[in-house]
Amino acid sequence: MAVSIEAETHVGMSFGPGMFTDEEFEKVAHEVLQPDITEYEYFVESHGTKFYRKYIEDAGLYEYKIHGVMEDMDPELCAQVYVDWEYRKKWDNYTMDLHLVRNESTDVDGLYWCVDYPWPMSDRDYTFIRDMKIMEIGGKKTWVVLAKFYEFPCKPEKNGVIRVTELKQACVMQSDGKVGAKAFMYYYDNPKGMIPTWLINWAAKTGVPMFMSNMKDAVSRYKNFLEEKRKELGLEQLNNEERLKNLYKVK
């Protein structure tokens, strides 16, 4: 049930190509306070978060919303790990390739991502853009990330790999007022191909909790990764803000 919440919003730093509107960011950001799960059904619970899903009849697939509190996880580090594509290659075993790409005709930077699918299914790959804003929602610092499919001619489709062209993601992280992260996530993609519905449902029910567990472990090791990266780049320091600038090529 949707609940109206009046919470003052302020926007701070922004990262990314700027392909989403302020209204899109604000709408998603407020779902960390109270998610709109109208027409969604409860699906599963993991690591203090509840998963809801909504059936998309035209596609025969589900879109998902995740909401809850991840205890003992710093919200800033959670958001940072979510967008750090270089680090993702180290902790996500299903990521075969993930790197920056650029559409020269539109001067837009984005990401190419290739994902390992279990045999006998074909692997999938994505090209997408991702924007991030650091906002203040209800008096609390909030990290908001939005992503969607975007075409990059420099990454044509490969033989044997299925290109996913329907992708929408959102991630919101905010302090729970203690030592944890209040989280909201939205996810939908259409993997195409002849994948049985029962297999998609099984993968979602088992894979998502596994992803949350892996992400929690990745957050706990992120500071060590930053220290290694600082030495590799020959920098005196590499804090979270500098790392974001590095990821989004901000000078």
Side-chain angles (χ1 to χ4, degrees), residues 19 26 65 78 83 137 176 185 190 205 217 219 250:
M19 302 296 283
E26 188 165 338
K65 286 187 176 183
C78 287
V83 300
I137 304 294
D176 68 344
M185 297 182 190
N190 183 347
K205 201 157 192 173
D217 182 57
V219 170
V250 177

Side-chain angles (χ1 to χ4, degrees), residues 28-249:
V28 168
H30 280 79
E31 291 213 52
V32 77
L33 303 178
Q34 180 64 57
D36 180 1
I37 53 174
T38 306
E39 300 180 356
Y40 285 74
E41 63 178 7
Y42 172 79
F43 184 48
V44 69
E45 185 170 352
S46 176
H47 293 82
T49 56
K50 292 183 178 180
F51 295 71
Y52 302 89
R53 67 182 185 179
K54 177 183 176 182
Y55 187 66
I56 308 301
E57 191 169 350
D58 291 346
L61 298 166
Y62 288 94
E63 62 180 28
Y64 299 89
K65 286 187 176 183
I66 305 165
H67 183 257
V69 174
M70 299 185 291
E71 296 182 355
D72 302 322
M73 293 179 68
D74 180 89
E76 182 176 10
L77 288 183
C78 287
Q80 195 97 2
V81 167
Y82 187 83
V83 300
D84 196 323
W85 56 269
E86 285 188 315
Y87 186 48
R88 179 80 177 248
K89 292 188 289 186
K90 291 183 175 292
W91 64 266
D92 183 356
N93 293 330
Y94 291 100
T95 293
M96 300 173 65
D97 189 11
L98 181 56
H99 62 262
L100 291 174
V101 290
R102 183 174 179 81
N103 187 318
E104 297 294 345
S105 64
T106 59
D107 291 330
V108 170
D109 293 317
L111 290 161
Y112 170 80
W113 183 28
C114 187
V115 178
D116 182 22
Y117 268 53
W119 186 89
M121 293 184 291
S122 299
D123 297 331
R124 264 63 175 175
D125 68 1
Y126 305 74
T127 58
F128 63 99
I129 51 173
R130 186 162 62 189
D131 282 356
M132 180 180 189
K133 286 184 183 291
I134 301 174
M135 310 172 69
E136 188 175 294
I137 304 294
K140 290 185 178 181
K141 195 172 184 179
T142 307
W143 292 262
V144 187
V145 182
L146 296 178
K148 63 182 177 182
F149 168 79
Y150 193 84
E151 188 172 358
F152 288 89
C154 64
K155 300 301 295 186
E157 296 185 28
K158 301 177 180 178
N159 289 332
V161 179
I162 297 176
R163 173 64 50 86
V164 178
T165 56
E166 294 180 58
L167 169 70
K168 293 184 290 184
Q169 293 181 354
C171 174
V172 186
M173 294 289 174
Q174 184 185 78
S175 172
D176 68 344
K178 300 176 184 177
V179 292
K182 186 183 292 184
F184 169 78
M185 297 182 190
Y186 167 86
Y187 183 83
Y188 173 77
D189 78 15
N190 183 347
K192 301 180 181 178
M194 302 300 292
I195 304 178
T197 302
W198 68 266
L199 183 56
I200 293 175
N201 291 338
W202 175 84
K205 201 157 192 173
T206 58
V208 175
M210 183 183 300
F211 170 80
M212 296 297 288
S213 179
N214 290 343
M215 185 175 176
K216 185 174 183 178
D217 182 57
V219 170
S220 70
R221 293 183 284 109
Y222 188 62
K223 290 183 179 180
N224 292 335
F225 169 78
L226 286 185
E227 177 60 18
E228 292 174 4
K229 201 68 185 175
R230 182 194 67 78
K231 293 178 180 178
E232 178 187 320
L233 297 173
L235 301 175
E236 291 186 7
Q237 66 173 6
L238 183 61
N239 57 30
N240 292 338
E241 183 178 319
E242 290 300 320
R243 179 58 179 163
L244 283 174
K245 290 179 179 179
N246 179 255
L247 288 169
Y248 283 98
K249 300 198 294 186

